[in-house]
Amino acid sequence: MTSFKTIRTRAEKRKGGPKALDKLMPDKPDLKRLARLGDDRILAEMTKRVFCAGFAWSVIDAKWDGFEDAFLRFQPAKLSFQPEDYWEGLLRDARIVRNGAKIMSVRENAAFVQEIAKEHGSFGKFLAQWPPSNEVGLLDLLTRRGSRLGGNTGQMLLRFVGWDGFVTSKDVVACLRDAGLDIAEEVKSKGDLARVQAQFNAWAEETGLPYTYLSRICALSVGENRGEH
């Protein structure tokens, strides 16, 4: 396997040098901030990622204030007590995207968030305690216990709430394959995910960098060299 030093050097050359690459890094993971994140904000992000899947993100962003109002600011306990009439009404609510399956996922994920909070104090505390060396296990849990949180949706949820993990985007997978990892062009199988996890674990040990940095540098080291705006 290619060392991460080689991958980082390639990314630096593509982006204008070490300092330029550093400016493209996301915020460092903050476990204390994540642990303080309210369950309502976790559920809100779950909902946004679910609705963005297969849909234009700009449309969801533009309607987001309406989502917040329609879904009662994403308070899990309050949503869990709403009658059937409330959920049926959302199917006619122009403030949101009226996709029945995704709307119902909010009710199911409200219950999921409450279950985890009851077990760990809050969903944020639960995430803050989960090691990035086992993202595969966390993604499996989101898939099994959550609603519509499998695959890339789960990965993007973790990224947007500030958990330290990788994302198997097209460019990241291309980087891994170029480095010598035997995985498919689209990482979907448990075997491929396990191999990706093992490689990121090795690179984390090699470099001491957060997984979010490793993932981002990977993505910037290959593919179309897009300008940053």
Side-chain angles (χ1 to χ4, degrees):
M1 287 297 298
T2 302
S3 74
F4 199 78
K5 181 179 180 180
T6 300
I7 293 169
R8 179 163 192 160
T9 298
R10 186 170 67 218
E12 290 173 349
K13 289 180 179 178
R14 286 163 55 86
K15 295 302 175 183
K19 291 183 178 179
L21 182 65
D22 287 343
K23 291 181 180 179
L24 299 178
M25 291 302 99
D27 293 337
K28 286 187 176 181
D30 184 341
L31 294 182
K32 290 183 178 180
R33 188 201 69 81
L34 179 56
R36 292 193 301 266
L37 195 61
D39 289 335
D40 60 320
R41 293 305 90 201
I42 294 286
L43 181 59
E45 199 59 58
M46 285 182 178
T47 303
K48 182 175 281 191
R49 293 309 118 210
V50 167
F51 274 86
C52 280
F55 209 80
W57 289 20
S58 59
V59 173
I60 304 302
D61 286 340
K63 295 176 76 73
W64 194 249
D65 286 345
F67 273 81
E68 289 277 355
D69 291 338
F71 287 107
L72 311 178
R73 317 308 294 182
F74 296 102
Q75 299 175 65
K78 196 169 184 179
L79 285 169
S80 295
F81 279 106
Q82 295 307 303
E84 290 297 329
D85 288 351
Y86 164 79
W87 298 100
E88 291 173 3
L90 289 173
L91 296 172
R92 302 182 297 275
D93 195 328
R95 293 175 295 178
I96 64 174
V97 173
R98 288 160 286 181
N99 179 298
K102 292 186 177 185
I103 288 170
M104 295 314 296
S105 77
V106 181
R107 180 163 70 172
E108 294 168 16
N109 283 329
F112 171 43
V113 168
Q114 285 185 290
E115 290 169 4
I116 294 293
K118 185 176 180 180
E119 296 168 9
H120 299 273
S122 73
F123 207 101
K125 289 179 180 178
F126 162 72
L127 290 177
Q129 294 165 3
W130 194 287
S133 58
N134 187 24
E135 180 173 346
V136 172
L138 181 53
L139 293 172
D140 180 64
L141 183 144
L142 291 174
T143 301
R144 287 186 293 103
R145 297 182 62 177
S147 177
R148 306 179 74 91
L149 297 177
N152 185 255
T153 301
Q155 294 180 16
M156 296 309 295
L157 164 66
L158 297 176
R159 174 61 56 85
F160 275 93
V161 298
W163 190 79
D164 185 21
F166 59 80
V167 172
T168 53
S169 67
K170 181 179 178 180
D171 286 344
V172 170
V173 172
C175 168
L176 289 162
R177 284 166 56 87
D178 180 75
L181 195 63
D182 183 18
I183 53 175
E185 291 185 7
E186 290 188 43
V187 174
K188 294 182 178 180
S189 71
K190 288 185 177 181
D192 277 356
L193 274 171
R195 283 184 277 275
V196 171
Q197 181 77 72
Q199 188 54 51
F200 273 104
N201 290 351
W203 281 338
E205 185 174 353
E206 174 192 336
T207 64
L209 290 174
Y211 286 66
T212 51
Y213 279 34
L214 296 171
S215 185
R216 180 73 169 140
I217 293 169
C218 253
L220 295 173
S221 74
V222 297
E224 182 182 349
N225 196 13
R226 295 176 287 269
E228 299 296 329
H229 302 284

